[in-house]
Amino acid sequence: MGNKKGNDTMKKALILIIAALLITGCATNHKKVEKQALTGYVTEKDYEKKGLLVIENDETKTSDENFYAAEWYFPKEEAVFLDSKGNSISYDEIEVGHTVSTWSTTPSAQSYPSGAELSKLIIKEESKNPIDQMDEKSAVQHAINYLKNTHNDGIIIKSASGQKDHWLIKATDYDHKTDTTLKINAQTGEVKEI
């Protein structure tokens, strides 16, 4: 009889251990893990839905040469926004044209552009053209405003390079049917296709 009591105690202990492991396992499965997501240009800002469209560029893309990942980010209530020096900023200070790095706790939706919850965003240092008349963000803004009339299938800014007195912006659309090179005057903001 004493042996049966020992077995019962062992069974109860084993059941408690298994239950504890299951509870712990379930709890950790529901914890959201923050992962670094895209780095690229903010190409659109939806004020109504409070969303940011971020698209990779030639410098930041992570896959093959003809694919630019694009993601709509919708900030969580506790999302963190930082400038290039690490200072806390508000969502309102993020502008189209900024180069940003993003973090998310949700997987991307299966669409193009996809969508995800934004947990953190850091604005990257803005480069200027050599004579410091126009920063990269402003040049990208001029390009996007110009291209909105011709690129109905979405705008991808592939690259932006500051020259002596102008910016050269290379762009395409989501389907890569229309490649465009723009020259933007660094003093006047005048845009010309070349």
Side-chain angles (χ1 to χ4, degrees), residues 32-43:
K32 292 187 176 184
V33 178
E34 184 177 70
K35 289 188 281 189
Q36 185 162 3
L38 293 184
T39 296
Y41 291 116
V42 175
T43 59

Side-chain angles (χ1 to χ4, degrees), residues 1-166:
M1 260 196 174
N3 205 7
K4 188 174 184 208
K5 263 188 178 175
N7 284 344
D8 286 347
T9 306
M10 290 284 277
K11 284 180 186 176
K12 287 179 184 176
L14 193 57
I15 289 170
L16 285 173
I17 290 170
I18 291 170
L21 287 173
L22 287 174
I23 290 169
T24 306
C26 291
T28 53
N29 286 345
H30 293 303
K31 185 180 178 194
K32 292 187 176 184
V33 178
E34 184 177 70
K35 289 188 281 189
Q36 185 162 3
L38 293 184
T39 296
Y41 291 116
V42 175
T43 59
E44 208 171 318
K45 188 172 181 178
D46 187 325
Y47 292 92
E48 192 177 307
K49 294 179 182 173
K50 197 174 179 183
L52 299 166
L53 179 58
V54 177
I55 302 179
E56 292 178 318
N57 56 54
D58 285 347
E59 242 178 68
T60 64
K61 68 182 170 161
T62 55
S63 60
D64 72 65
E65 61 189 61
N66 289 324
F67 180 76
Y68 295 83
E71 187 102 56
W72 272 104
Y73 289 106
F74 301 96
K76 294 169 34 171
E77 198 172 306
E78 65 275 10
V80 174
F81 304 110
L82 303 171
D83 66 14
S84 60
K85 294 177 176 72
N87 300 313
S88 187
I89 59 171
S90 73
Y91 170 82
D92 295 333
E93 294 175 80
I94 302 163
E95 296 180 43
V96 167
H98 272 135
T99 300
V100 298
S101 288
T102 60
W103 283 259
S104 181
T105 55
T106 60
S108 299
Q110 297 298 310
S111 59
Y112 192 85
S114 56
E117 202 172 60
L118 181 70
S119 58
K120 182 168 138 186
L121 178 144
I122 299 175
I123 295 176
K124 302 299 240 176
E125 186 91 37
E126 292 296 320
S127 58
K128 294 192 178 245
N129 71 335
I131 51 176
D132 285 341
Q133 292 179 326
M134 181 184 287
D135 64 11
E136 185 175 7
K137 174 190 63 140
S138 299
V140 170
Q141 286 174 346
H142 283 294
I144 289 171
N145 288 335
Y146 178 86
L147 293 168
K148 280 183 180 176
N149 299 324
T150 56
H151 285 59
N152 296 332
D153 296 331
I155 299 166
I156 296 172
I157 302 296
K158 294 167 67 171
S159 66
S161 61
Q163 308 299 313
K164 183 179 176 190
D165 61 353
H166 65 277

